[in-house]
């Protein structure tokens, strides 16, 4: 409750300036920002950078890169350096891509193939590129990693498709039994 009170105070517009109090200290915040990729997901990104749905920013070496994929509020210093990230209640599930159909993404979930309902207007990030289901269909390959993020109601909010998560193909040349 105390943290929520401090957060509300810092992000509420000041009476006389119509800007959040946070801005007067050289900080700003971006609401509903998705952390798309770091150098862990894409080797073309510098080790001290992060690509987000709002742009590319510098990150300190202490930044928790495991937050990639999540949506939340990004707090910046001088409009270019990430100071903090406060994740929202978005939930993510990881799969391996089988196929992309008209309104569904077929994924491998353990030992079975499952269908994930993804609408044509659902935002999809293919690596660092923002696209739609039809745009991802021509780029994604069987075996790519798929992360599906849903809201508390279970509705798909956005999908992230990355590099291949599978090893193979594997050819069996003989039976050694």
């Amino acid at each position: 409750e105390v943290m929520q009170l401090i957060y509300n105070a810092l992000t509420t517009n000041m009476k006389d300036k119509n800007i959040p109090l946070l801005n007067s200290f050289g900080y700003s915040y971006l609401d509903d920002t998705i952390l798309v990729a770091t150098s862990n997901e894409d080797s073309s990104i510098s080790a001290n950078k992060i690509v987000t749905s709002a742009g590319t920013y510098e990150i300190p070496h202490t930044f928790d890169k495991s937050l990639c994929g999540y949506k939340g509020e990004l707090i910046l210093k001088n409009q270019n350096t990430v100071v903090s990230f406060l994740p929202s209640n978005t939930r993510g599930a990881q799969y391996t891509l089988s196929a992309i159909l008209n309104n569904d993404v077929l994924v491998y979930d353990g030992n079975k193939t499952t269908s994930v309902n993804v609408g044509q207007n659902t935002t999809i990030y293919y690596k660092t590129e923002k696209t739609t289901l039809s745009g991802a269909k021509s780029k994604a390959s069987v075996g790519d990693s798929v992360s599906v993020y849903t809201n508390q109601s279970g509705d798909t909010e956005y999908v992230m498709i990355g590099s291949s998560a599978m090893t193979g193909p594997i050819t069996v040349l003989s039976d050694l039994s």
Side-chain angles (χ1 to χ4, degrees):
E1 290 179 18
V2 172
M3 289 304 293
Q4 186 65 46
L5 182 65
I6 292 170
Y7 172 80
N8 288 346
L10 290 173
T11 58
T12 300
N13 285 348
M14 294 186 293
K15 184 177 179 180
D16 55 338
K17 296 185 180 178
N18 203 28
I19 61 167
L21 178 62
L22 194 63
N23 289 33
S24 65
F25 299 114
Y27 294 91
S28 58
Y29 74 100
L30 303 173
D31 211 9
D32 293 330
T33 304
I34 300 169
L35 303 182
V36 177
T38 65
S39 58
N40 289 358
E41 292 78 27
D42 185 339
S43 60
S44 70
I45 301 171
S46 299
N48 66 335
K49 299 274 186 183
I50 189 165
V51 175
T52 74
S53 57
T56 302
Y57 303 100
E58 291 182 27
I59 53 173
H61 70 279
T62 56
F63 185 79
D64 184 1
K65 293 182 178 182
S66 70
L67 292 170
C68 243
Y70 286 96
K71 180 191 243 184
E73 297 195 24
L74 197 61
I75 299 176
L76 304 171
K77 173 83 172 159
N78 299 326
Q79 303 289 326
N80 67 352
T81 303
V82 174
V83 174
S84 182
F85 178 72
L86 308 166
S88 64
N89 290 330
T90 306
R91 298 179 185 135
Q94 283 69 40
Y95 306 101
T96 301
L97 181 65
S98 175
I100 297 178
L101 305 175
N102 290 339
N103 286 324
D104 291 312
V105 176
L106 296 180
V107 295
Y108 298 112
D109 184 10
N111 299 359
K112 63 183 190 286
T113 302
T114 304
S115 175
V116 178
N117 187 346
V118 178
Q120 285 295 327
N121 296 326
T122 300
T123 299
I124 295 180
Y125 289 93
Y126 178 74
K127 298 185 179 181
T128 58
E129 180 186 340
K130 183 178 180 179
T131 187
T132 59
L133 191 61
S134 59
K137 193 174 188 176
S138 63
K139 296 175 179 134
S141 302
V142 172
D144 283 350
S145 65
V146 177
S147 299
V148 179
Y149 293 89
T150 57
N151 58 25
Q152 288 184 320
S153 303
D155 300 324
T156 301
E157 284 198 15
Y158 57 97
V159 175
M160 300 185 79
I161 301 175
S163 298
S164 181
M166 283 178 48
T167 303
I170 297 172
T171 304
V172 177
L173 299 175
S174 65
D175 183 3
L176 299 176
S177 56

